[in-house]
Amino acid sequence: MKIAIGCDHTVLELKEAVSEHLKQLGHEVIDCGPYDHTRTHYPIFGKKVGDLVGEGKVDLGVVCCGTGVGISTSVNKCFGARAALVRDVASAVYAKEKLNANVIAFGGLVCGRDLALEITDKFLEAKYEKNDENDKVVEKLMSLEKRYQDHQTNDEHFFDEEIKKWEEGYYHD
């Protein structure tokens, strides 16, 4: 399976642990960054993962930030991506089986390494339960974005201006 992965600077070690774990299981991992502890903005990396998943360039995505809230929200702004923010295995399995989630998100400062790996494993193992009820729910979810499809950019340079400002010291903590 081909899996995109991304995070913010606060949980870099966790992203790397999940990435290594996935590779050991035989998956191809596309690491969307970041690659060091330089302070970052998680929407950049959530968008990278969300776009790859939404465009069908990867099978699934895994994202994390401190709580998982910010990065999962940014993934869900990408057309075709259905990210589920979870804090336990049962929610991860439900997200895949009932809602056909294609990105799993968790908070690296909320759940530890072992739980994050278990959430990821169970999400990947779960299968969408295709039936009329589940299909109708997924169809309703996806219809929300169809209204705005003409406005989607899918532009890999979407954050170039913000990154340039960041590098020039425009933003301050």
Side-chain angles (χ1 to χ4, degrees), residues 91-141:
S91 298
V93 171
Y94 177 89
K96 181 70 140 324
E97 290 179 348
K98 306 297 182 187
L99 303 174
N100 202 15
N102 51 19
V103 179
I104 197 71
F106 45 82
L109 302 179
V110 176
C111 67
R113 179 189 172 278
D114 292 342
L115 179 56
L117 295 179
E118 186 177 6
I119 286 170
T120 301
D121 286 347
K122 296 304 181 186
F123 177 73
L124 296 180
E125 292 169 10
K127 303 292 181 212
Y128 175 58
E129 295 175 356
K130 187 167 181 48
N131 59 47
D132 287 342
E133 183 179 344
N134 293 346
D135 287 351
K136 285 178 186 175
V137 171
V138 173
E139 183 180 325
K140 286 178 185 176
L141 288 171

Side-chain angles (χ1 to χ4, degrees), residues 139-148:
E139 183 180 325
K140 286 178 185 176
L141 288 171
M142 300 313 293
S143 72
L144 295 172
E145 70 182 27
K146 287 180 184 169
R147 179 180 307 167
Y148 304 101

